[in-house]
Every structure is written in structure tokens, then in C-alpha cells.
Amino acid sequence: MNKKEVLELKRRLKKDQATFSRLVGCYVDCNHEKVCKFGGKFLTLEEDEYYKYLEISNKVLSGTLGNNLLNLQFPLEEEEVGGRQQILMALRDSELNDETLLDTYYDLVIDTYDEAGNYLILLYLDSYDVMTRTKDNINVDESEEVYKYMLCAICPVTLSKPGLGYLEKEQRIGARIRDWVVGAPETGFLFPAFNDRSTDIHSTLFYTKNTKEPHSEFMTNGLGCGVERTATEQKMAFHSIVRNVLGAEDESTDDKLLDIQQNLSEMADDYAETHDDDDDPFILDSEAMNKVLSDCHISEEKISRIEKSVNEAFGDKPPIATNVIDSKALAANEIRVEKLALESQVGDLTLELNEKNAQLEEKDSVIQEKNNQIEERTSQLLEKQEEIDNYTAQIKTYDVVLHVKPEKASQIHAQVINGEKCLVIPMRENENATINGVNTSL
């Protein structure tokens, strides 16, 4: 059955559309003894009971195909007299009115259903007038066939939790009476299957609430079908094989597993573009597995070991690729990729920063050299200035200071004139002189 066919039946399990004709059940205790049996017309149930039983039936068609809902095939021997498919056919054809046949079936469930606690076996009977549909899924007012089927639900029955409550007769708060409460179904099935919108007596749709630990023993012994792994079981088995081969203690194993998940997801997306998942799912066969593992740079020796282990675990039913894809792993890988990208960016920025620092250090070196040159030149200027200052201070101790050309210095001589000692500087006709910076005509 595909998703559309499941939803088509499930839409009928509503108050205004449900057409169950009969409901029967058997309450089994923890000693595998039948405590009580009941049965009657479904539409005559009390309103509260009607809704609760309808809710339970709805759960049997809930969940994901391939995980909560598994398509099972009956082997040919089970369709022969005394086979378990034949018992289901007889139950359906008796319209759940044959008490002896019902007792036989309850005993079959008790003997093949591994449950430590109390539980309730429920069987619903319904007939669906299947309308003809156009290619556009529009119903035509014309019936194709009457699909007559049963729903089975096996529900745990547990004691309600202890607590306090109002004791009306005693008008006080006291310990609440603990009741045996019927829970949501753990296991169930639809028979016959509704394949291609038609009755398929060779198949059944199995339901499990716990996808990690479905009641596989009931698939085999209660229904007579082979064990079909849920998607969760396929994923757990595949991951366990890969992890063990790669090395559970190896630090790189987790990264390799994330790479495998990412490659599988991308391959599944590419496959889905050209195939219908319901009719032609992407099977993780040896060729596909080899490509996925090779793309993750896993050695040929380990690829060979993984393929061998997968073949041993799954036999002639290799896992569906989408079943072994873990959405949490994909999310973790996305975070890992972002982290690696950020680390790469940090590395690039660090390298760029180091280059900038090197350039700045080089510039600082040039600046420092310039500063040293400036300091050296400043020191030289200060020394000159000191010499000038010393010379100026020295000059101030003389009454007469002469600045003459070198060739004129030898012509200067002392002479007493009018009783005073004078310095005589011979001047030619074309020579000029300045006294204290002022031009002087002689």
C-alpha cells in the first residue's frame, strides 16, 4: 500500500464517515489468560466508547510507511487450509460472529504475541464501497468493488498512576482508586491489504508503535509473514555495521558517518527527481553502497567488509536508502560544515592579519630608521647650534669684532693716532664696508 491508499482508508475513520459494522475484543492478563470477551455492533456503542474505539482504530493506520506501517506478504503455505492467512479470511467472511473461530484466533495471538503485561485484542470489521476515480482523482458515481476488511489492534492495559482525588461520599481528599486503563495500540494490522485501491488477500499492512523494537515475533508467528525491518531498524543496523568496521573508538569515524549521510541524502535527492519513491524506491544495493563509501574516501578493504556485513544482515532485501538516512545526522553535518567553513575563514583572516602585521612591522622599521636619521641630524644641528651659541657668547666679551675677507685680514694693523691706539684697515677705491650690518661709505 502507498500513502494515498492509507490516507483514503484513514479519512473514513471519523465520526460522520466511519462504517464499522462490528467490534469484538478479548482482554488478556499478564498470565496469558483470557479475562473477558465482548462484541457487538459498533454503531450501538455509547458515545464515549464510540470515540475511544474509533481513536484506537485510527492509530493502526498512523505513522510513516516503511517505519510504523509495513507491507507484509503471506507465503503460499499460509494461504492453504490451516494457514494463518486462511484463519484471517475465515474471520472476515464470518463477519466476526463465529465465537469458536474468534476463540481460536485469540489463542493464536496469546501464543505468538510476546507481552509481559495485560493487553486488549480488538478486531474491527468494515466494508468500503470503493468508487471509481478518474486520472485526476475525481470520484465517479460508480462503484468498482466492495472492499471488506478487518482492523486488529493490540493495546496495553495498565494501572492508572497513583494520586490524590476528591472522595465525594466521604467529602474529603484521599487516595484515588487506580483503574486498569487501555492505552494506544502497540501493534496492529489491516487485512486484506488495499493495494491499487483493491482487495489484496495475499498481503497485510502491519502497524507498530515502537519502530526500534516492533513485535517481530508476531509478524512471523502470529501472521505467518517473514520479518520486515522498520526504517528505524534498518538505520540502526546499517550504522552499527559501518561504525564497527570503521572503528568505534576512531576519532574520524563520526565525521565519516556524517559524510556518508550527506552523500546518501544527495544521491537520494538526485534519484527522486527521476523516480517515484512509492513505486521505485532507491535501494542501497552493492553498487550504490560502493559509490557512497568510495566518495567518502573509505579504503577498499573496509568497503568490502561493510558490504559483506550488510549482505549478511539484510540478505536479499537490501535497505532502502532513505531509511538509513538520519535527519539528525544531516543537521549535525550541516553544523559541522558551517563550523569548518568558519574555521577556514578564521584561518584565512589570520593569515591575512599576519601579512598585514608583517607589512606594518616593515613600515615601522622604515619609520624607525627615519626617526633614527632625524634624531642623528637633530643631534648634529644641536651640536652646531651649541658651537654657534658658544661663539656668540665668546664674541660678546670683545668691544670690537671684525669680519673681513681672508685676504683683507693681513692688511689690518695697529697704529696710534692722536694718542689713541687704532686698528687701520686699508681700503681701496672700489672696496666697501659694513659696520654692524649697515653700509658705510668711506
Side-chain angles (χ1 to χ4, degrees), residues 128-176:
Y128 173 32
D129 195 10
V130 183
M131 304 301 291
T132 303
R133 283 186 175 176
T134 65
K135 292 182 180 180
D136 299 329
N137 288 327
I138 299 174
N139 286 337
V140 178
D141 193 14
E142 181 180 327
S143 177
E144 287 185 343
E145 66 168 287
V146 175
Y147 169 57
K148 190 175 182 180
Y149 67 97
M150 294 187 305
L151 270 180
C152 175
I154 304 177
C155 309
V157 180
T158 57
L159 273 173
S160 59
K161 294 181 180 180
L164 296 175
Y166 176 64
L167 307 180
E168 188 174 0
K169 290 183 179 180
E170 302 176 27
Q171 294 187 342
R172 69 180 182 87
I173 300 297
R176 189 179 64 187

Side-chain angles (χ1 to χ4, degrees), residues 85-104:
Q85 187 262 10
Q86 280 293 295
I87 296 175
L88 294 175
M89 288 289 291
L91 279 172
R92 186 196 68 161
D93 294 342
S94 71
E95 297 188 346
L96 304 181
N97 283 312
D98 189 326
E99 292 296 330
T100 303
L101 190 57
L102 284 170
D103 258 340
T104 300

Side-chain angles (χ1 to χ4, degrees), residues 267-282:
M267 288 178 66
D269 289 342
D270 292 340
Y271 186 90
E273 291 180 1
T274 55
H275 297 78
D276 187 336
D277 287 344
D278 290 334
D279 299 330
D280 190 13
F282 177 27

Side-chain angles (χ1 to χ4, degrees), residues 71 73 226-229 234 283 310 313-320:
N71 286 297
Q73 303 290 322
V227 173
E228 186 78 21
R229 278 191 173 98
Q234 291 183 32
I283 303 297
V310 169
F314 291 89
D316 58 354
K317 289 184 177 180
I320 297 174

